[in-house]
Amino acid sequence: MCQDPTRRAVILTALATGACLASSRSSVAEEDLPGSNERPQKADVLVFAEGERAGEEIKPQDLKAGGPPVRAWPKDPTTSVVRKGSRLNEVLVVKLDPAELDEETRSRAAGGVVAYSAICVHTGCPITAWVKAASGDKDVFKCVCHNSEYDPRQSAQVIFGPAPRRLPALPLVAGDGPLTVAAAFVGKVGAQQAR
Amino acid sequence: MALKQWLLAGFLVSTCLVSIAAAGPIENYSPVTAERLKNPEPGNWMHYRRTYDGQGYSPLDQINASNVKNLTPAWTFSTGVVEGHQAPPIINNGVMFVSTPEGQVIALNAKTGDEYWRYKRQLPEDLFQLHPTNRGVGLWQDKLYLATTDDHLVALDAKTGKVVWDTKVQDYKKGQYLTLMPLVVDGKVIVGGSGGEFGIRGYIVAYDADTGKELWRTFTIPGPGEPDHDTWSGDDWKTGGAPAWMTGTYDMDTRTIYWGTGNAAPWPGETHPGDNLYSTSVLALDPDSGKMKSYFQYHQNDSWDWDEVDAPMLIDLQRDGRTIKSLVHPGRNAIFWVLERKPEGIKYVAGWPFVYTNVWKSIDPNGKPIADPAHKPGIGKRVEFCPSLWGGKDWPSAAYSQKTGLVYVPANENFCGGFTGEKVPLVPGQLWLGTKPEDIGLTPRPGATHFGELQAWDPATGKKAWSHNFPKSQLFGSVTATAGDLVFVGGTNDRMFRAFHAKTGELLWEQKTNSGIVGMPIAYEVDGTQYIAVQAGWGVDAQRIQDALVGKVPGLENNVPQGGVVWVFAVKK
């Protein structure tokens, strides 16, 4: 699990909590709440998945332009159930320059904020790094298990490594309040088995 | 049939776990008995390394140094699966079983390549597969056994592929998983757990082959009140790793199984003070009870991620004027180990570096290697060490030829690496390395002329007989030797499968395949014809090494396509 150490390397969770590759965990009781296993749905809001603000709603102004991304869970605004019953619901949210986004990505963004599944579609590892791409000088999502890289500016298409397809995007609604889900994941989250 | 019923029937068929192809079902299957496992027919390959002693040696010699130049593909079979195909094809009297990543098993006619049946494990959608691979199926009577990455042990009917029993070993959501080929001894199916990077407590466990009932479980880290528990500090024993994720070997005479164990967790030794028994060790266990008879620890307080999981080969050596019933293990820690199986336990005989290392200053008379602190990773400081964390030889197995008396090692030379240790809290089910993954380095030694190196060593004398170097590639594949004076190995990034002369190291034959080969070659015979088989299918650590070397090695190929194919070769007549 190596890569060139001269690249600027950032562990997302290390930035948020100082904990390498950790993700927040909740009690079994919380994960068993009705709806906690369901995939993000339209009108869900996004909340921080970890760190001192874990559970708080995320607003665009909470994010630093150009990254790094933060990890998030969807939350049902009606029941206040955070959908962290399945790791497949975890989301990466990153604020980018809208001018860098391609048309499709821009259509799903809230301003420059885009959201994607945090689970690599290769073998289901979590995506944990925001690093310089293997080729090029832009920071991209990286799964350190098997080195797949995704460009969040281009619908998270695969730009390096064995991943077979892009990360599922989670369309967002532009507004002044918390980041809000506009529609379900575009595509299947998680790895797909061979047929 | 009404439309609704027809649709329902179609749905049920499409979700079935087993598919039956035109060639099936298998008829006249040869039940696998204890006697056949102890003394396998020359034409079969029913163990991980063909025989219990783990030598990886076939007595077949129809394909030999004289005619191997005429070796050509007899048939191929696409598995339809990507990632690292590491399993040896398992052969029982004309039936081949191959296992693949994602928990698939395919039964094939070993002569024609026609499919009998295919089992597809339906893995959980939320499974986190760090090592998406499988290393083979064990056989017993008319069943076979598959260990899965979602931490189940499954018994299948060898003739139909249907599930006989399915036992949950532990919880995959806590980083527990299985990748090894089960070892079957007298009706017991024995496996060990992977997951050293997830803060697990390693174990070896035996199940009844007929029922799936657990018979015994031996933890590789002793708990409170058990011998050697004091080699751990505080509660470190609960999460200290020492996984056991490769198939063990078995001494039939003394009824002892030998199992290799992995590194202590997390990686920096400062985070788990003490010698940390029984990490990075070989364990001698009673297969009936799991009781530990003896052990030898290859290095203490592991800090380099140097698993020593490849089980030692059992070889009778002539050394110093007597026969030594040895354990031979070319280690990930760069030391070629020769140990002795004595009635009172495992004893050190000799050890020497088989690749460059700057970590070990010496080995004391009891076989304890002395580390140079300057090359031992610690908290908050970046330390460089050689060989890299993939070691001098990783999990791919060496082989021993009973004809030449040589051990053939898939070695990696001139790779160094390093990382900065840090204390991090454990989150169950998440990686727990003790360093940032992005901080891990893989660095070619200045002036390196090559990296992969197929080595031939005389374990009796400690002398290297020959070596073949690969200038632009690692060597990351298991080796097999045959009585035809041949050594077969893939493992390089040029997608080649090669045969070498066992005595001289001369490259005699090579064939480019669809993908790179990290799988284990085998030899078998059907209807009087000898075949050589191997699974191509690049991935996992071989791929990681490639990615780590991008831009560092001019001319290095990093475009090895993935995709599994069973390749079977025969000499063109």
Side-chain angles (χ1 to χ4, degrees):
Chain A
M1 289 188 305
C2 295
Q3 70 167 41
D4 187 337
T6 60
R7 292 187 211 167
R8 187 169 72 81
V10 177
I11 304 294
L12 304 180
T13 45
L15 281 174
T17 67
C20 172
L21 292 170
S23 66
S24 65
R25 291 282 153 174
S26 58
S27 69
V28 173
E30 281 183 308
E31 292 177 353
D32 285 345
L33 290 172
S36 68
N37 275 301
E38 294 175 3
R39 298 285 172 271
Q41 296 172 18
K42 183 178 180 180
D44 280 358
V45 296
L46 297 182
V47 300
F48 288 99
E50 58 199 354
E52 294 179 355
R53 299 182 63 187
E56 290 184 22
E57 294 176 351
I58 305 172
K59 297 184 176 66
Q61 53 267 36
D62 294 325
L63 304 174
K64 181 183 175 184
V70 299
R71 310 184 80 82
W73 294 113
K75 186 178 86 170
D76 184 328
T78 305
T79 64
S80 295
V81 170
V82 178
R83 303 191 196 280
K84 55 184 176 182
S86 168
R87 61 187 293 266
L88 299 180
N89 290 346
E90 197 162 9
V91 176
L92 293 174
V93 186
V94 63
K95 181 189 279 187
L96 300 166
D97 179 353
E100 289 187 321
L101 309 183
D102 66 19
E103 188 174 342
E104 189 176 30
T105 305
R106 200 177 301 123
S107 72
R108 297 173 182 143
V113 180
V114 291
Y116 295 96
S117 167
I119 306 301
C120 183
V121 300
H122 173 226
T123 64
C125 296
I127 293 167
T128 54
W130 177 247
V131 296
K132 290 275 186 266
S135 57
D137 59 358
K138 289 189 174 178
D139 289 327
V140 295
F141 295 147
K142 184 182 185 82
C143 173
V144 298
C145 279
H146 307 102
N147 294 318
S148 292
E149 295 181 355
Y150 303 88
D151 186 353
R153 303 161 192 84
Q154 302 179 72
S155 300
Q157 72 176 31
V158 182
I159 56 173
F160 187 83
R165 57 189 170 88
R166 64 188 65 185
L167 287 175
L170 186 65
L172 300 177
V173 174
D176 297 331
L179 293 172
T180 303
V181 175
F185 276 124
V186 179
K188 181 183 181 301
V189 293
Q192 283 182 312
Q193 273 193 286
R195 295 179 179 179
Chain B
M1 183 183 290
L3 177 61
K4 186 176 178 181
Q5 290 173 306
W6 185 83
L7 289 172
L8 180 60
F11 174 77
L12 290 172
V13 169
S14 68
T15 56
C16 183
L17 295 176
V18 178
S19 62
I20 307 294
I26 298 170
E27 297 177 349
N28 302 319
Y29 185 73
S30 302
V32 176
T33 62
E35 191 53 43
R36 291 187 67 211
L37 287 177
K38 289 173 183 170
N39 187 23
E41 302 87 355
N44 285 326
W45 194 286
M46 299 188 291
H47 291 287
Y48 187 54
R49 302 294 285 146
R50 202 188 84 80
T51 44
Y52 273 133
D53 53 25
Q55 294 180 1
Y57 175 74
S58 168
L60 299 179
D61 62 1
Q62 188 181 97
I63 298 169
N64 54 53
S66 298
N67 62 16
V68 71
K69 62 180 181 294
N70 298 323
L71 204 59
T72 57
W75 56 264
T76 58
F77 183 93
S78 286
T79 68
V81 183
V82 296
E83 266 301 338
H85 286 57
Q86 300 177 346
I90 296 298
I91 305 290
N92 179 21
N93 286 348
V95 181
M96 173 185 288
F97 302 102
V98 293
S99 63
T100 74
E102 299 191 7
Q104 296 201 18
V105 183
I106 309 163
L108 300 165
N109 182 318
K111 186 174 180 178
T112 65
D114 292 333
E115 180 183 327
Y116 289 122
W117 54 257
R118 180 189 292 244
Y119 167 80
K120 292 184 179 181
R121 180 79 183 164
Q122 301 299 292
L123 295 171
E125 288 187 326
D126 62 349
L127 181 63
F128 176 173
Q129 291 195 84
L130 180 63
H131 291 91
T133 192
N134 184 274
R135 299 195 176 98
V137 294
L139 304 182
W140 176 251
Q141 298 293 352
D142 57 356
K143 300 185 192 66
L144 59 85
Y145 304 92
L146 174 71
T148 69
T149 50
D150 61 334
D151 219 51
H152 282 237
L153 180 62
V154 183
L156 303 177
D157 184 316
K159 289 176 283 190
T160 65
K162 292 182 178 175
V163 175
V164 179
W165 52 258
D166 181 335
T167 295
K168 178 181 177 181
V169 179
Q170 290 199 63
D171 185 358
Y172 75 84
K173 292 188 177 182
K174 295 179 179 174
Q176 300 279 1
Y177 63 112
L178 300 166
T179 55
L180 80 177
M181 174 175 165
L183 174 69
V184 182
V185 175
D186 292 333
K188 297 179 183 65
V189 186
I190 307 170
V191 299
S194 304
E197 284 73 33
F198 292 85
I200 55 93
R201 181 187 179 201
Y203 63 90
I204 299 165
V205 60
Y207 294 91
D208 182 282
D210 291 329
T211 66
K213 179 187 175 187
E214 182 174 326
L215 301 175
W216 55 258
R217 186 179 298 242
T218 299
F219 286 95
T220 56
I221 301 178
E226 295 178 319
D228 301 313
H229 175 68
D230 60 356
T231 62
W232 294 85
S233 299
D235 286 339
D236 291 349
W237 63 277
K238 296 178 179 175
T239 56
W245 51 350
M246 292 284 289
T247 309
T249 49
Y250 175 48
D251 183 339
M252 296 177 284
D253 295 334
T254 62
R255 290 190 56 74
T256 306
I257 57 175
Y258 291 93
W259 220 285
T261 64
N263 55 287
W267 292 352
E270 286 179 56
T271 62
H272 44 83
D275 279 359
N276 308 140
L277 291 167
Y278 306 99
S279 66
T280 59
S281 300
V282 53
L283 310 183
L285 304 175
D286 179 338
D288 296 322
S289 66
K291 184 179 178 184
M292 191 176 303
K293 297 181 175 182
S294 181
Y295 70 89
F296 177 85
Q297 189 172 40
Y298 296 112
H299 58 270
Q300 293 69 36
N301 189 233
D302 179 72
S303 302
W304 303 269
D305 183 33
W306 282 340
D307 273 320
E308 299 295 353
V309 293
D310 190 24
M313 294 178 281
L314 314 184
I315 302 171
D316 288 350
L317 294 180
Q318 295 301 314
R319 186 182 175 94
D320 301 329
R322 67 187 182 95
T323 300
I324 292 179
K325 300 189 86 61
S326 75
L327 296 169
V328 172
H329 173 68
R332 190 159 163 174
N333 66 9
I335 299 172
F336 191 112
W337 296 96
V338 178
L339 310 174
E340 184 171 5
R341 294 167 276 152
K342 304 190 82 165
E344 62 269 30
I346 302 169
K347 299 297 178 186
Y348 170 72
V349 175
W352 61 88
F354 63 98
V355 297
Y356 172 75
T357 176
N358 59 11
V359 170
W360 306 120
K361 297 167 72 174
S362 61
I363 302 175
D364 82 6
N366 294 317
K368 181 177 183 177
I370 309 302
D372 182 344
H375 298 290
K376 183 173 181 177
I379 301 298
K381 62 174 181 178
R382 184 176 182 81
V383 168
E384 298 290 330
F385 55 88
C386 310
S388 77
L389 65 81
W390 281 286
K393 183 195 80 70
D394 205 295
W395 70 265
S397 297
Y400 172 72
S401 168
Q402 295 170 9
K403 279 188 71 177
T404 65
L406 299 177
V407 169
Y408 304 96
V409 183
N412 282 302
E413 178 64 284
N414 296 319
F415 282 148
C416 302
F419 60 84
T420 306
E422 63 179 22
K423 287 187 177 179
V424 292
L426 172 64
V427 178
Q430 299 296 317
L431 281 177
W432 194 48
L433 306 181
T435 187
K436 292 181 175 65
E438 284 76 6
D439 187 43
I440 303 165
L442 179 62
T443 310
R445 284 180 70 202
T449 57
H450 68 280
F451 302 104
E453 185 173 336
L454 180 61
Q455 303 176 341
W457 287 91
D458 184 339
T461 64
K463 292 181 179 176
K464 187 193 281 187
W466 56 261
S467 62
H468 182 97
N469 299 337
F470 298 96
K472 300 293 183 186
S473 177
Q474 73 273 46
L475 185 60
F476 213 88
S478 293
V479 182
T480 290
T482 76
D485 286 328
L486 296 172
V487 176
F488 290 92
V489 68
T492 53
N493 60 12
D494 54 8
R495 301 192 276 125
M496 287 294 190
F497 184 43
R498 295 183 170 91
F500 295 87
H501 197 299
K503 292 177 182 170
T504 66
E506 181 186 359
L507 175 61
L508 297 176
W509 171 86
E510 59 185 350
Q511 162 85 43
K512 197 174 275 285
T513 69
N514 62 299
S515 180
I517 294 172
V518 289
M520 182 180 295
I522 67 152
Y524 69 95
E525 184 178 293
V526 181
D527 293 342
T529 297
Q530 184 190 339
Y531 301 88
I532 300 294
V534 71
Q535 289 203 87
W538 200 242
V540 204
D541 286 288
Q543 179 76 54
R544 289 175 182 141
I545 293 172
Q546 291 289 107
D547 292 342
L549 292 175
V550 171
K552 296 178 181 175
V553 178
L556 176 111
E557 292 187 26
N558 193 38
N559 57 350
V560 185
Q562 293 203 355
V565 171
V566 183
W567 287 80
V568 176
F569 302 91
V571 168
K572 193 173 183 180
K573 296 177 179 175

